[in-house]
Amino acid sequence: MWKGFKLTKTAEKQMIILINKNPEVKGLCLSIKKSGCAGFKYIMNLTKNPSSEDLKFSFKNVTLFVPVQAMPFIDGTEIDYIYDGLNQNFKFQNPKAQHSCGCGESFSIE
C-alpha cells in the first residue's frame, strides 16, 4: 500500500491556481524521468486525460495522478511551493532520495 503525498498549503494554493486556469484540466500528473547528474527528475504537468492506470490521490481541492511505475521512487514525498526572491517553484521533499545534484534538479534512490 502506498503512503501517498503531502501538500503544503502554499503548494495546494498554487496547484488550484494552475488547475483553475483551464476548466478541462482534471488535475496534475506527477512523475519522474531519468535526467540530470543524480539520476531522476520530477515532472509535473496539468492533465486533461489521465491514464486509467494512473493512481489517483485526492486532496481538498486538488487531484494528483501518478503513474504506477513512478510510485516506488516518489511515494511519501512532501510537495511545497516556495518563493525565493523573484523565483517561485515547487519543491519536493522525498524521504527516499539518497543523493541530489548541486543545483537541486535531480535525485537518486538506492
Side-chain angles (χ1 to χ4, degrees):
M1 189 54 121
W2 303 112
K3 294 177 187 174
F5 301 91
K6 294 179 185 172
L7 298 182
T8 65
K9 290 180 182 180
T10 54
E12 186 174 6
K13 182 179 176 183
Q14 184 61 28
M15 289 177 181
I16 292 167
I17 290 169
L18 294 171
I19 292 168
N20 286 341
K21 287 184 179 183
N22 186 334
E24 295 177 16
V25 170
K26 304 289 188 238
L28 289 157
C29 182
L30 175 62
S31 189
I32 59 168
K33 74 174 187 174
K34 289 187 176 188
S35 178
C37 43
F40 297 100
K41 180 177 183 175
Y42 297 100
I43 306 294
M44 192 161 49
N45 294 304
L46 296 170
T47 184
K48 294 179 184 176
N49 300 307
S51 169
S52 61
E53 296 177 13
D54 287 349
L55 298 173
K56 181 179 177 180
F57 296 91
S58 297
F59 300 88
K60 288 182 184 177
N61 299 303
V62 175
T63 302
L64 286 180
F65 298 95
V66 181
V68 173
Q69 64 271 21
M71 280 305 293
F73 299 97
I74 57 178
D75 187 37
T77 297
E78 179 182 83
I79 304 169
D80 195 6
Y81 191 75
I82 59 167
Y83 299 88
D84 185 15
L86 298 175
N87 298 315
Q88 308 169 31
N89 59 17
F90 287 100
K91 182 173 177 124
F92 302 89
Q93 297 293 329
N94 186 340
K96 295 182 179 184
Q98 300 293 318
H99 307 283
S100 62
C101 65
C103 61
E105 290 292 319
S106 63
F107 68 98
S108 67
I109 294 177
E110 294 180 6

